[in-house]
Coordinates of all heavy atoms in Angstrom, one line a residue:
M25 N -19.2 -16.2 -27.4 CA -19.4 -15.7 -26.0 C -18.3 -14.7 -25.7 O -17.2 -14.8 -26.0 CB -19.3 -16.9 -25.0 CG -19.5 -16.5 -23.6 SD -19.3 -17.9 -22.5 CE -18.5 -17.1 -21.1
I26 N -18.8 -13.6 -25.1 CA -17.9 -12.5 -24.7 C -17.4 -12.8 -23.2 O -18.4 -12.9 -22.4 CB -18.5 -11.1 -24.9 CG1 -18.8 -10.9 -26.4 CG2 -17.5 -10.0 -24.5 CD1 -19.8 -9.8 -26.6
L27 N -16.2 -12.8 -23.0 CA -15.7 -13.0 -21.7 C -15.2 -11.6 -21.1 O -14.3 -11.1 -21.6 CB -14.5 -14.1 -21.6 CG -14.1 -14.5 -20.3 CD1 -15.2 -15.3 -19.6 CD2 -12.9 -15.4 -20.4
F28 N -15.8 -11.2 -20.1 CA -15.4 -10.0 -19.4 C -14.2 -10.3 -18.4 O -14.5 -11.0 -17.4 CB -16.5 -9.3 -18.8 CG -17.5 -8.7 -19.7 CD1 -18.6 -9.3 -20.1 CD2 -17.2 -7.4 -20.3 CE1 -19.4 -8.8 -21.0 CE2 -18.1 -6.9 -21.2 CZ -19.2 -7.5 -21.6
F29 N -13.1 -9.9 -18.8 CA -11.9 -10.2 -17.9 C -11.1 -9.0 -17.7 O -10.9 -8.1 -18.6 CB -11.1 -11.4 -18.5 CG -9.8 -11.7 -17.7 CD1 -10.1 -12.6 -16.7 CD2 -8.6 -11.2 -17.9 CE1 -9.0 -13.0 -15.8 CE2 -7.6 -11.6 -17.1 CZ -7.7 -12.5 -16.0
G30 N -10.7 -8.7 -16.6 CA -9.9 -7.5 -16.3 C -9.3 -7.6 -14.9 O -9.4 -8.5 -14.2
T31 N -8.8 -6.4 -14.5 CA -8.2 -6.3 -13.2 C -8.8 -5.1 -12.5 O -9.4 -4.2 -13.0 CB -6.8 -6.1 -13.2 OG1 -6.5 -4.9 -14.0 CG2 -6.0 -7.4 -13.8
K32 N -9.0 -5.2 -11.2 CA -9.3 -4.0 -10.4 C -8.7 -4.1 -9.1 O -8.2 -5.1 -8.6 CB -10.8 -4.0 -10.3 CG -11.5 -5.1 -9.4 CD -12.9 -4.8 -9.3 CE -13.6 -5.9 -8.4 NZ -15.0 -5.8 -8.2
S33 N -8.8 -2.8 -8.4 CA -8.0 -2.7 -7.1 C -9.0 -3.4 -6.1 O -10.2 -3.2 -6.1 CB -7.9 -1.3 -6.8 OG -7.0 -0.7 -7.8
G34 N -8.4 -4.1 -5.3 CA -9.1 -4.7 -4.2 C -9.1 -3.9 -2.9 O -9.0 -2.6 -3.1
K35 N -9.3 -4.5 -1.8 CA -9.5 -3.7 -0.6 C -8.1 -2.9 -0.3 O -7.0 -3.4 -0.5 CB -10.0 -4.5 0.5 CG -9.1 -5.6 1.0 CD -9.6 -6.1 2.3 CE -8.8 -7.2 2.7 NZ -8.5 -8.2 3.2
K36 N -8.3 -1.8 0.4 CA -7.2 -1.0 0.7 C -7.1 -0.9 2.3 O -8.1 -0.7 3.0 CB -7.6 0.5 0.2 CG -6.4 1.4 -0.2 CD -7.0 2.5 -0.9 CE -5.9 3.5 -1.1 NZ -6.3 4.7 -1.8
E37 N -5.9 -1.1 2.8 CA -5.7 -1.0 4.2 C -4.7 0.1 4.5 O -3.7 0.1 3.8 CB -5.0 -2.3 4.7 CG -5.9 -3.4 4.9 CD -5.1 -4.7 5.3 OE1 -4.5 -4.7 6.3 OE2 -5.1 -5.6 4.4
A38 N -5.0 0.9 5.5 CA -4.1 2.0 5.8 C -3.6 1.9 7.3 O -4.4 1.4 8.2 CB -4.7 3.4 5.6
K39 N -2.3 2.0 7.5 CA -1.8 1.9 8.9 C -0.8 3.0 9.1 O 0.0 3.3 8.4 CB -1.1 0.5 8.9 CG -0.6 0.2 10.3 CD 0.0 -1.2 10.3 CE -1.1 -2.3 10.7 NZ -1.6 -2.1 12.1
T40 N -1.0 3.7 10.2 CA -0.2 4.7 10.6 C 1.0 4.2 11.5 O 0.8 3.4 12.4 CB -1.0 5.8 11.4 OG1 -2.1 6.2 10.7 CG2 -0.1 7.0 11.8
L41 N 2.2 4.7 11.1 CA 3.3 4.3 11.8 C 3.6 5.4 12.9 O 4.2 6.4 12.6 CB 4.6 4.2 10.9 CG 4.4 3.2 9.7 CD1 5.6 3.1 8.8 CD2 4.0 1.7 10.2
H42 N 3.2 5.1 14.1 CA 3.2 6.1 15.2 C 4.6 6.6 15.7 O 4.8 7.6 16.1 CB 2.4 5.7 16.3 CG 0.9 5.6 16.0 ND1 0.1 6.7 15.8 CD2 0.1 4.5 15.7 CE1 -1.1 6.3 15.5 NE2 -1.2 5.0 15.4
H43 N 5.5 5.6 15.6 CA 6.8 5.9 16.2 C 8.0 6.0 15.2 O 9.1 5.9 15.5 CB 7.2 4.8 17.3 CG 6.1 4.6 18.3 ND1 5.8 5.7 19.2 CD2 5.2 3.7 18.4 CE1 4.8 5.3 19.9 NE2 4.3 4.1 19.5
V44 N 7.6 6.2 14.0 CA 8.6 6.2 12.9 C 8.7 7.7 12.4 O 7.7 8.2 12.1 CB 8.3 5.2 11.8 CG1 9.4 5.3 10.7 CG2 8.2 3.8 12.3
A45 N 9.9 8.2 12.2 CA 10.0 9.5 11.7 C 10.2 9.4 10.2 O 10.7 8.5 9.6 CB 11.3 10.1 12.3
C46 N 9.6 10.4 9.5 CA 9.6 10.6 8.1 C 11.1 10.8 7.6 O 11.6 11.8 8.2 CB 8.8 11.7 7.6 SG 8.8 12.1 5.8
P47 N 11.7 10.2 6.7 CA 13.1 10.3 6.3 C 13.3 11.7 5.6 O 14.4 12.2 5.5 CB 13.4 9.2 5.3 CG 12.4 8.2 5.6 CD 11.2 9.0 6.0
H48 N 12.2 12.2 5.1 CA 12.2 13.5 4.4 C 12.1 14.8 5.3 O 13.0 15.6 5.2 CB 11.2 13.6 3.3 CG 11.4 14.7 2.4 ND1 12.4 14.8 1.4 CD2 10.6 15.8 2.3 CE1 12.2 16.0 0.8 NE2 11.2 16.6 1.3
C49 N 11.1 14.7 6.1 CA 10.9 16.0 6.9 C 11.1 15.8 8.4 O 11.0 16.7 9.2 CB 9.4 16.5 6.7 SG 8.1 15.3 7.3
H50 N 11.4 14.5 8.7 CA 11.7 14.2 10.2 C 10.7 14.4 11.2 O 11.0 14.5 12.4 CB 13.0 14.9 10.6 CG 14.2 14.6 9.6 ND1 14.9 13.4 9.4 CD2 14.7 15.5 8.7 CE1 15.7 13.5 8.6 NE2 15.7 14.7 8.0
Q51 N 9.4 14.4 10.8 CA 8.3 14.4 11.7 C 8.0 13.1 12.1 O 8.1 12.1 11.2 CB 7.0 15.1 11.0 CG 7.2 16.6 10.6 CD 7.3 17.5 11.8 OE1 6.5 17.4 12.7 NE2 8.3 18.3 11.9
T52 N 7.6 12.9 13.3 CA 7.3 11.5 13.8 C 5.8 11.3 13.8 O 5.1 12.2 14.2 CB 7.8 11.2 15.2 OG1 9.3 11.5 15.2 CG2 7.7 9.8 15.7
G53 N 5.3 10.1 13.4 CA 3.9 9.7 13.4 C 3.2 10.3 12.2 O 1.9 10.2 12.4
T54 N 3.8 10.7 11.2 CA 3.1 11.2 10.1 C 3.0 10.3 8.9 O 2.3 10.5 7.9 CB 3.7 12.6 9.5 OG1 5.1 12.2 9.2 CG2 3.7 13.7 10.6
L55 N 3.7 9.2 9.1 CA 3.6 8.2 7.9 C 2.5 7.2 8.0 O 2.2 6.7 9.0 CB 4.9 7.3 7.9 CG 6.3 8.2 7.6 CD1 7.4 7.3 7.9 CD2 6.2 8.5 6.0
T56 N 1.8 7.1 6.9 CA 0.7 6.1 6.8 C 1.1 5.1 5.7 O 1.4 5.6 4.5 CB -0.6 6.8 6.4 OG1 -0.9 7.8 7.5 CG2 -1.7 5.8 6.5
V57 N 1.1 3.9 6.0 CA 1.3 2.8 5.0 C 0.1 2.3 4.5 O -0.9 2.0 5.2 CB 2.2 1.7 5.6 CG1 2.3 0.6 4.5 CG2 3.6 2.2 6.0
V58 N -0.1 2.4 3.1 CA -1.3 1.9 2.5 C -1.0 0.7 1.8 O 0.0 0.5 1.0 CB -1.9 3.0 1.6 CG1 -3.0 2.4 0.7 CG2 -2.1 4.2 2.3
R59 N -1.8 -0.4 2.0 CA -1.6 -1.7 1.3 C -2.9 -1.9 0.4 O -4.0 -1.8 0.9 CB -1.4 -2.8 2.3 CG -0.1 -3.4 2.3 CD 0.1 -4.5 3.2 NE 0.1 -4.0 4.6 CZ 0.6 -4.9 5.6 NH1 0.8 -6.1 5.4 NH2 0.7 -4.4 6.8
Q60 N -2.6 -2.2 -0.9 CA -3.7 -2.4 -1.7 C -3.4 -3.7 -2.5 O -2.3 -3.8 -3.1 CB -4.0 -1.2 -2.6 CG -5.2 -1.4 -3.4 CD -5.7 0.0 -3.9 OE1 -4.8 0.9 -4.2 NE2 -6.9 0.2 -4.1
S61 N -4.5 -4.5 -2.8 CA -4.3 -5.6 -3.6 C -5.0 -5.5 -4.9 O -6.0 -4.8 -5.0 CB -4.8 -7.0 -2.8 OG -6.2 -6.8 -2.6
N62 N -4.4 -6.0 -5.9 CA -5.0 -5.9 -7.2 C -5.5 -7.3 -7.6 O -4.8 -8.3 -7.5 CB -4.0 -5.5 -8.3 CG -3.7 -4.0 -8.1 OD1 -4.5 -3.1 -8.1 ND2 -2.4 -3.7 -8.0
Q63 N -6.8 -7.4 -8.0 CA -7.4 -8.7 -8.3 C -7.8 -8.8 -9.6 O -8.3 -7.8 -10.3 CB -8.6 -8.9 -7.3 CG -8.2 -8.9 -5.9 CD -9.3 -9.1 -4.9 OE1 -10.3 -8.3 -5.1 NE2 -9.4 -9.9 -3.9
A64 N -7.6 -10.0 -10.1 CA -8.2 -10.4 -11.5 C -9.7 -10.7 -11.3 O -10.0 -11.3 -10.3 CB -7.4 -11.6 -12.1
H65 N -10.5 -10.3 -12.2 CA -11.9 -10.6 -12.1 C -12.5 -11.1 -13.5 O -12.0 -10.6 -14.5 CB -12.7 -9.5 -11.6 CG -12.7 -8.3 -12.4 ND1 -13.7 -7.9 -13.3 CD2 -11.8 -7.2 -12.5 CE1 -13.4 -6.8 -13.8 NE2 -12.3 -6.3 -13.4
V66 N -13.4 -12.0 -13.4 CA -14.1 -12.5 -14.6 C -15.6 -12.2 -14.3 O -16.1 -12.5 -13.2 CB -14.0 -14.0 -14.8 CG1 -14.7 -14.5 -15.9 CG2 -12.5 -14.2 -15.0
F67 N -16.2 -11.4 -15.2 CA -17.6 -11.0 -15.0 C -17.7 -10.2 -13.6 O -18.7 -10.4 -12.9 CB -18.6 -12.1 -15.1 CG -18.7 -12.7 -16.5 CD1 -18.1 -13.9 -16.7 CD2 -19.3 -12.0 -17.5 CE1 -18.2 -14.4 -18.1 CE2 -19.4 -12.4 -18.8 CZ -18.8 -13.7 -19.1
W68 N -16.8 -9.4 -13.4 CA -16.7 -8.6 -12.1 C -16.6 -9.4 -10.8 O -16.9 -8.8 -9.8 CB -17.9 -7.6 -12.1 CG -17.9 -6.7 -13.4 CD1 -17.0 -5.7 -13.6 CD2 -18.5 -7.0 -14.6 NE1 -17.2 -5.1 -14.9 CE2 -18.1 -5.9 -15.5 CE3 -19.4 -7.9 -15.1 CZ2 -18.6 -5.8 -16.8 CZ3 -20.0 -7.8 -16.3 CH2 -19.5 -6.8 -17.2
I69 N -16.3 -10.7 -11.0 CA -16.2 -11.5 -9.7 C -14.7 -11.7 -9.5 O -14.1 -12.2 -10.3 CB -17.0 -12.8 -9.8 CG1 -18.4 -12.5 -10.0 CG2 -16.6 -13.7 -8.6 CD1 -19.2 -13.8 -10.7
P70 N -14.2 -11.2 -8.5 CA -12.7 -11.4 -8.2 C -12.3 -12.9 -8.1 O -13.0 -13.6 -7.4 CB -12.4 -10.7 -6.9 CG -13.6 -9.9 -6.6 CD -14.7 -10.6 -7.3
V71 N -11.4 -13.2 -9.0 CA -11.0 -14.7 -9.0 C -9.7 -15.0 -8.2 O -9.5 -16.0 -7.6 CB -11.0 -15.3 -10.4 CG1 -12.5 -15.6 -10.8 CG2 -10.3 -14.4 -11.4
F72 N -8.7 -14.2 -8.4 CA -7.5 -14.3 -7.6 C -6.8 -13.0 -7.5 O -7.0 -11.9 -8.3 CB -6.6 -15.4 -8.2 CG -6.2 -15.1 -9.7 CD1 -5.1 -14.3 -10.0 CD2 -6.9 -15.6 -10.8 CE1 -4.6 -14.1 -11.2 CE2 -6.5 -15.4 -12.1 CZ -5.4 -14.6 -12.3
T73 N -5.9 -12.8 -6.5 CA -5.1 -11.7 -6.3 C -3.9 -11.7 -7.2 O -3.2 -12.7 -7.1 CB -4.8 -11.6 -4.8 OG1 -6.0 -11.6 -4.0 CG2 -4.0 -10.4 -4.5
I74 N -3.6 -10.7 -7.9 CA -2.4 -10.6 -8.7 C -1.2 -10.2 -7.9 O -0.2 -10.8 -8.0 CB -2.7 -9.7 -10.0 CG1 -3.9 -10.1 -10.7 CG2 -1.4 -9.7 -10.8 CD1 -4.3 -9.1 -11.6
N75 N -1.4 -9.1 -7.3 CA -0.3 -8.5 -6.5 C -0.7 -7.6 -5.5 O -1.9 -7.2 -5.4 CB 0.8 -7.9 -7.4 CG 0.2 -6.7 -8.2 OD1 -0.8 -6.0 -7.7 ND2 0.8 -6.5 -9.4
N76 N 0.1 -7.3 -4.6 CA -0.2 -6.4 -3.6 C 0.8 -5.2 -3.6 O 2.0 -5.4 -3.7 CB 0.0 -7.0 -2.1 CG -1.0 -8.1 -1.8 OD1 -2.3 -7.7 -1.8 ND2 -0.7 -9.3 -1.7
T77 N 0.3 -4.0 -3.6 CA 1.1 -2.9 -3.7 C 1.1 -2.2 -2.3 O 0.0 -2.2 -1.7 CB 0.7 -1.9 -4.7 OG1 -0.6 -1.6 -4.6 CG2 1.1 -2.3 -6.1
S78 N 2.2 -1.7 -1.8 CA 2.1 -1.0 -0.6 C 3.0 0.3 -0.8 O 4.1 0.2 -1.4 CB 2.5 -1.8 0.6 OG 3.7 -2.5 0.4
Y79 N 2.6 1.3 -0.2 CA 3.4 2.5 -0.2 C 3.1 3.3 1.1 O 2.1 3.1 1.7 CB 3.1 3.4 -1.5 CG 1.7 3.8 -1.5 CD1 1.3 5.1 -1.0 CD2 0.7 3.0 -2.2 CE1 -0.1 5.4 -1.1 CE2 -0.6 3.4 -2.4 CZ -0.9 4.7 -1.7 OH -2.2 5.1 -1.9
A80 N 4.0 4.2 1.4 CA 3.8 5.0 2.6 C 3.8 6.5 2.2 O 4.4 6.8 1.2 CB 5.0 4.8 3.5
E81 N 2.8 7.1 2.9 CA 2.7 8.6 2.6 C 2.9 9.4 3.9 O 2.3 9.0 4.9 CB 1.4 8.9 1.9 CG 1.3 10.3 1.4 CD -0.1 10.7 0.8 OE1 -1.0 9.9 0.9 OE2 -0.2 11.8 0.4
C82 N 3.5 10.5 3.7 CA 3.7 11.4 4.9 C 2.7 12.4 4.8 O 2.5 13.1 3.8 CB 5.1 12.0 4.9 SG 5.4 13.2 6.2
S83 N 2.0 12.6 5.9 CA 0.9 13.6 5.9 C 1.4 14.9 6.1 O 0.7 16.0 5.9 CB -0.2 13.3 7.1 OG 0.6 13.3 8.2
H84 N 2.7 15.1 6.5 CA 3.3 16.4 6.8 C 3.9 17.0 5.5 O 3.5 18.2 5.0 CB 4.3 16.3 7.8 CG 5.0 17.6 8.2 ND1 4.2 18.5 9.0 CD2 6.1 18.2 7.9 CE1 5.1 19.6 9.2 NE2 6.1 19.5 8.5
C85 N 4.8 16.2 4.8 CA 5.5 16.7 3.6 C 4.9 16.2 2.3 O 5.3 16.6 1.2 CB 6.9 16.6 3.7 SG 7.4 14.8 3.6
K86 N 3.9 15.3 2.4 CA 3.3 14.7 1.3 C 4.3 13.8 0.4 O 3.9 13.5 -0.7 CB 2.6 15.7 0.4 CG 1.6 16.6 1.2 CD 0.4 15.8 1.6 CE -0.5 16.8 2.4 NZ -1.5 16.0 3.2
R87 N 5.3 13.4 1.0 CA 6.3 12.6 0.2 C 5.7 11.2 0.3 O 5.2 10.7 1.3 CB 7.6 12.7 1.0 CG 8.7 11.8 0.4 CD 9.4 12.3 -0.8 NE 10.7 11.7 -0.9 CZ 10.9 10.5 -1.5 NH1 9.9 9.9 -2.0 NH2 12.1 10.1 -1.7
V88 N 5.8 10.5 -0.8 CA 5.3 9.1 -1.0 C 6.5 8.2 -1.1 O 7.4 8.5 -1.9 CB 4.3 8.9 -2.2 CG1 4.0 7.5 -2.4 CG2 3.1 9.7 -1.9
Y89 N 6.6 7.1 -0.4 CA 7.6 6.2 -0.4 C 7.1 4.9 -0.9 O 6.1 4.4 -0.4 CB 8.2 6.0 1.0 CG 8.8 7.2 1.7 CD1 8.0 8.1 2.3 CD2 10.1 7.6 1.3 CE1 8.6 9.2 2.9 CE2 10.6 8.7 1.8 CZ 9.8 9.5 2.7 OH 10.3 10.7 3.2
Y90 N 7.7 4.3 -1.8 CA 7.3 3.0 -2.4 C 8.1 1.9 -1.6 O 9.2 2.3 -0.9 CB 7.6 2.8 -3.9 CG 6.5 3.7 -4.6 CD1 6.9 5.0 -5.0 CD2 5.2 3.4 -4.7 CE1 5.9 5.9 -5.6 CE2 4.2 4.1 -5.3 CZ 4.6 5.4 -5.8 OH 3.7 6.2 -6.3
K91 N 7.7 0.7 -1.6 CA 8.2 -0.4 -0.9 C 9.9 -0.4 -0.9 O 10.5 -0.7 0.0 CB 7.7 -1.7 -1.3 CG 7.5 -2.6 -0.1 CD 6.8 -3.9 -0.5 CE 6.5 -4.8 0.8 NZ 7.5 -4.8 1.7
E92 N 10.3 -0.1 -2.1 CA 11.8 -0.2 -2.3 C 12.5 0.9 -1.6 O 13.7 0.8 -1.3 CB 12.2 0.0 -3.8 CG 11.5 -1.0 -4.8 CD 10.1 -0.6 -5.1 OE1 9.8 0.5 -5.6 OE2 9.2 -1.4 -4.9
E93 N 11.8 1.9 -1.2 CA 12.3 3.1 -0.5 C 12.2 3.1 1.0 O 12.6 4.0 1.7 CB 11.7 4.4 -1.1 CG 11.9 4.6 -2.5 CD 11.2 5.8 -3.0 OE1 10.0 5.8 -3.1 OE2 11.8 6.9 -3.2
F94 N 11.5 2.1 1.4 CA 11.2 2.0 2.9 C 12.5 1.9 3.7 O 13.4 1.2 3.3 CB 10.3 0.7 3.2 CG 8.9 0.9 2.9 CD1 8.4 1.9 2.1 CD2 7.9 0.0 3.5 CE1 7.1 2.1 1.8 CE2 6.5 0.2 3.1 CZ 6.1 1.2 2.3
T95 N 12.5 2.7 4.8 CA 13.7 2.6 5.7 C 13.6 1.3 6.5 O 12.5 0.8 6.7 CB 13.8 3.8 6.5 OG1 12.6 3.9 7.4 CG2 13.8 5.1 5.7
P96 N 14.6 0.8 7.2 CA 14.6 -0.3 8.0 C 13.6 0.0 9.1 O 12.9 -1.0 9.7 CB 16.0 -0.5 8.6 CG 16.9 0.2 7.5 CD 16.0 1.3 6.9
E97 N 13.4 1.2 9.7 CA 12.6 1.6 10.8 C 11.1 1.3 10.3 O 10.2 0.8 11.1 CB 12.7 3.0 11.2 CG 13.9 3.3 11.9 CD 15.2 3.4 11.1 OE1 15.1 3.7 9.9 OE2 16.3 3.2 11.6
M98 N 10.8 1.7 9.0 CA 9.5 1.6 8.5 C 9.1 0.1 8.3 O 8.1 -0.4 8.7 CB 9.4 2.2 7.2 CG 9.4 3.7 7.3 SD 9.9 4.6 5.8 CE 8.4 4.5 4.8
E99 N 10.2 -0.7 7.8 CA 10.0 -2.1 7.7 C 9.6 -2.8 9.0 O 8.8 -3.6 9.2 CB 11.2 -2.8 7.1 CG 11.5 -2.3 5.7 CD 10.7 -3.1 4.6 OE1 9.9 -3.9 4.9 OE2 11.1 -2.8 3.4
Q100 N 10.4 -2.5 10.0 CA 10.4 -2.9 11.3 C 9.0 -2.6 12.0 O 8.4 -3.5 12.6 CB 11.5 -2.4 12.2 CG 11.8 -3.2 13.5 CD 12.0 -4.7 13.1 OE1 13.0 -5.0 12.2 NE2 11.4 -5.6 13.8
A101 N 8.5 -1.4 11.8 CA 7.3 -1.0 12.4 C 6.1 -1.8 11.8 O 5.2 -2.2 12.4 CB 7.0 0.5 12.2
L102 N 6.3 -2.1 10.5 CA 5.2 -2.8 9.8 C 5.2 -4.3 10.2 O 4.1 -4.8 10.5 CB 5.4 -2.8 8.2 CG 5.0 -1.7 7.5 CD1 5.4 -1.8 6.1 CD2 3.4 -1.6 7.6
I103 N 6.4 -4.9 10.4 CA 6.5 -6.2 10.8 C 5.9 -6.4 12.3 O 5.1 -7.2 12.6 CB 7.9 -6.7 10.8 CG1 8.4 -6.8 9.3 CG2 8.0 -8.1 11.4 CD1 9.8 -6.9 9.2
S104 N 6.4 -5.4 13.2 CA 5.9 -5.6 14.5 C 4.5 -5.2 14.9 O 3.9 -5.7 15.9 CB 6.9 -4.7 15.4 OG 6.7 -3.4 15.1
S105 N 3.9 -4.6 13.9 CA 2.5 -4.3 14.1 C 1.5 -5.3 13.6 O 0.3 -5.2 13.7 CB 2.1 -2.9 13.4 OG 2.3 -3.1 12.0
K106 N 2.0 -6.5 13.1 CA 1.2 -7.5 12.5 C 0.6 -8.4 13.7 O 1.2 -8.5 14.7 CB 1.9 -8.4 11.6 CG 1.8 -7.9 10.2 CD 2.7 -8.9 9.3 CE 2.9 -8.1 7.9 NZ 4.0 -8.8 7.1
Ligands
ZN206 ZN1 7.5 14.0 5.8

């Protein structure tokens, strides 16, 4: 029997940080945080979530920030918006 097992990207959530300035270009409200989960699947049926990746992108300067690079302001805006 052949078992089809693999991973694929799950749903994607985007959230705009309205009151946070981009550390690179200093524009406010241009950062969008994208959260995406990766799921393991068997026969194309998602069985469990492996990890969640999140990154922020600035729509002004196109700079991408990974979670490790988030400023305290960005972290705070994410926590308070939950
Ligand atoms: Zn920027």
Side-chain angles (χ1 to χ4, degrees):
M25 175 181 150
I26 300 161
L27 188 68
F28 289 95
F29 182 81
T31 60
K32 67 175 179 180
S33 299
K35 66 173 180 212
K36 211 170 170 179
E37 281 176 64
K39 186 175 267 298
T40 304
L41 303 180
H42 296 285
H43 306 290
V44 181
C46 171
H48 186 71
C49 68
H50 306 289
Q51 296 290 308
T52 305
T54 55
L55 290 166
T56 304
V57 174
V58 178
R59 249 184 280 195
Q60 189 162 32
S61 59
N62 289 307
Q63 291 173 316
H65 62 98
V66 178
F67 293 107
W68 303 279
I69 300 160
V71 282
F72 59 87
T73 301
I74 301 163
N75 58 31
N76 289 297
T77 47
S78 55
Y79 60 90
E81 190 184 5
C82 175
S83 61
H84 185 79
C85 66
K86 306 293 177 198
R87 176 85 160 76
V88 173
Y89 300 92
Y90 292 97
K91 216 174 182 326
E92 306 80 55
E93 301 174 286
F94 281 15
T95 63
E97 288 78 25
M98 288 156 80
E99 297 275 8
Q100 201 55 51
L102 274 175
I103 295 162
S104 60
S105 63
K106 268 178 198 167

